[in-house]
Amino acid sequence: MLDRDDDSVEIGPPDKRTTLLFLRNHDRKLQKLRLHIDVKATDRSQAEELERLLSLGATRVDIGQGEDVSWHTLADPEGNEFCLLSGRADP
C-alpha cells in the first residue's frame, strides 16, 4: 500500500496493520536524526531501487562508511539520512 499527497506519504502492507507515515516538514534540519531508517526493496534489486530513489530526489551521502560496504547511504531532499540495504525483503 502506498498513499501519497503533497505533504505526506504513508506506506505499509495492504491490510494496513502497521504503516509508516512520512509528513513534510518545511523546517531546516538542524541536528543529527534520532531515528535511522534502513530501506530494503521487496520487488526489485538493490541497484534498481537505488536508481528509483535517486530519480525521486534522494542523494548519495558520505558519512565515512567507506567503499566496501554492502549498503548505500542516501539523504532525502530535506537532508534526512537513510540506508538502502542489499538484498530483498520478504513482502
Side-chain angles (χ1 to χ4, degrees):
M1 173 205 75
L2 173 66
D3 289 333
R4 176 188 312 218
D5 65 32
D6 288 343
D7 289 317
S8 68
V9 173
E10 184 175 13
I11 59 174
D15 62 14
K16 293 188 175 188
R17 288 187 331 203
T18 304
T19 64
L20 293 174
L21 177 63
F22 298 91
L23 300 173
R24 182 174 307 278
N25 182 344
H26 297 284
D27 295 339
R28 196 173 123 246
K29 180 183 165 203
L30 299 175
Q31 63 189 28
K32 185 175 179 174
L33 297 176
R34 295 181 62 189
L35 174 69
H36 179 82
I37 304 277
D38 286 333
V39 175
K40 201 174 213 188
T42 60
D43 62 346
R44 62 193 62 146
S45 71
Q46 181 190 38
E48 292 168 325
E49 183 65 1
L50 176 62
E51 184 178 319
R52 187 184 79 83
L53 292 170
L54 292 171
S55 75
L56 291 171
T59 55
R60 295 175 185 268
V61 178
D62 181 0
I63 57 170
Q65 68 271 22
E67 295 184 19
D68 60 341
V69 296
S70 62
W71 65 88
H72 297 277
T73 305
L74 306 168
D76 69 16
E78 294 180 354
N80 302 300
E81 294 98 2
F82 64 97
C83 291
L84 173 61
L85 304 182
S86 62
R88 290 187 185 180
D90 291 331

